[in-house]
Amino acid sequence: MKRFLLVILAVAVTVITIFSCNDARNNEVYRLLTDVDSYIESRPDSALAVLEGIDKSKLTSKELEAKYALLLSQALDKNYIDLQSDSIIAPAVRYYENHGTAKEKLQTNYYRGVIYLNAGNYEAAMAKYVEAENYVEGCKDNAVNARLYKAKMSLYVNLYDHLAAIHQGKTASDYFLRDLDTLSYINTINDIAIQYNLINDISAVTEQLGVIKSYWKVLTDLQKSNYYAL
C-alpha cells in the first residue's frame, strides 16, 4: 500500500511539473524573453532596455526567473557593464543546475566565469569555463561554443601559457568558422599568430598569416593593419 501511494505521489508531482512548465511557457513574459534572446547578439543595447523594463513581479516561476537572470547577465556583459558579483545570475545558477538545455547550462557557467574574471579571480573563472565545457557537445550554437574557447584563450594569454592559449584559440577559430563569423575567425587567427610569435615559432606565424591573407578581400582596415604589424 505504501509503495502504491509513493507511485501515485510521484506521478502527481510529474504531472504538476509538466503543467507548471507549460503554463510558464505560455506566459507573455516568457514569450518576451524568448524574443529578446533572438536579437541579444545583434542589438544588446535594445535587449538590455527591454529587460530592465520588465516588471519583476511577473517572473512568476523559477524558470522565468532563471531565463531573465541569464539574459540580463548576457545583456550587461555585451554592453560592457562588468559585473563582479553573481547576485544577478544566481537564479539561473540554481535553476539550470538541474534543469534546462546544454546551451543554458553552458552559458550560465560561462557568465559566472566572466563575473569571476571581472573580479580578478582567474582560478575561479577558469573553473567555471571548464565546467561550461562539459556542455559543448550538447550545445549546437557554434557562436556560444566559440565564445567559451576564446575566453579560455584570453585567460591563458593573461597567464603567459602560450601553448595552451594557442590550443584554445584553434578550437575557438574552428567554431567561429562553422558559425560563418569571418570577422571573429580572422581576429582569432591573428591572436594565435601573436602567441606563436611570442614563442619564436616563425614558421607557424607565417602559416597563420597565410590564412589571414587568403581572406584579404574581406578584411577590415584594422585586420590589415594587424597583419602588417605581425
Side-chain angles (χ1 to χ4, degrees):
M1 183 67 178
K2 184 177 180 180
R3 182 184 179 88
F4 176 75
L5 290 174
L6 287 174
V7 171
I8 293 297
L9 179 61
V11 171
V13 169
T14 301
V15 170
I16 291 171
T17 300
I18 290 172
F19 277 105
S20 296
C21 289
N22 286 338
D23 181 61
R25 296 188 180 189
N26 287 326
N27 187 293
E28 180 183 348
V29 176
Y30 185 90
R31 291 194 292 271
L32 177 59
L33 293 178
T34 300
D35 185 46
V36 168
D37 195 18
S38 70
Y39 62 77
I40 195 169
E41 293 284 347
S42 58
R43 292 185 284 136
D45 52 341
S46 299
L48 181 58
V50 172
L51 290 168
E52 290 182 332
I54 290 177
D55 182 355
K56 311 302 185 298
S57 67
K58 293 185 177 180
L59 302 174
T60 54
S61 70
K62 298 298 183 184
E63 183 179 11
L64 284 175
E65 289 178 351
K67 192 172 182 66
Y68 175 82
L70 179 55
L71 285 171
L72 182 58
S73 298
Q74 291 180 62
L76 290 168
D77 181 64
K78 292 178 186 301
N79 282 281
Y80 307 103
I81 300 172
D82 295 338
L83 298 176
Q84 296 187 23
S85 165
D86 59 4
S87 58
I88 287 178
I89 202 172
V93 173
R94 290 191 294 268
Y95 183 80
Y96 293 128
E97 183 177 7
N98 298 307
H99 306 85
T101 65
K103 178 180 175 180
E104 289 165 332
K105 293 175 185 294
L106 189 158
Q107 289 182 304
T108 299
N109 283 291
Y110 167 78
Y111 283 105
R112 285 189 80 189
V114 170
I115 291 166
Y116 286 130
L117 186 63
N118 292 338
N121 191 338
Y122 288 6
E123 185 176 350
M126 182 60 81
K128 287 304 163 187
Y129 291 157
V130 170
E131 192 171 343
E133 196 171 0
N134 292 326
Y135 303 103
V136 165
E137 187 174 347
C139 177
K140 304 308 178 183
D141 190 323
N142 290 319
V144 170
N145 291 337
R147 187 176 297 117
L148 170 63
Y149 286 106
K150 188 64 185 292
K152 289 185 71 182
M153 179 188 191
S154 297
L155 197 46
Y156 278 121
V157 168
N158 289 331
L159 296 173
Y160 300 101
D161 190 337
H162 306 299
L163 291 177
I166 289 167
H167 176 70
Q168 299 300 321
K170 287 183 174 181
T171 306
S173 67
D174 286 344
Y175 278 112
F176 280 129
L177 195 58
R178 294 182 205 177
D179 194 48
L180 304 180
D181 185 349
T182 305
L183 178 66
S184 297
Y185 172 71
I186 294 300
N187 287 341
T188 305
I189 294 297
N190 183 82
D191 291 342
I192 292 170
I194 290 173
Q195 294 305 302
Y196 274 125
N197 194 45
L198 290 172
I199 60 175
N200 296 313
D201 190 337
I202 305 305
S203 62
V205 174
T206 303
E207 181 182 354
Q208 301 307 308
L209 289 176
V211 173
I212 295 173
K213 193 170 185 179
S214 69
Y215 286 86
W216 194 259
K217 291 183 179 180
V218 298
L219 297 186
T220 66
D221 289 341
L222 179 58
Q223 288 175 325
K224 290 179 179 178
S225 176
N226 290 336
Y227 172 87
Y228 284 124
L230 273 170

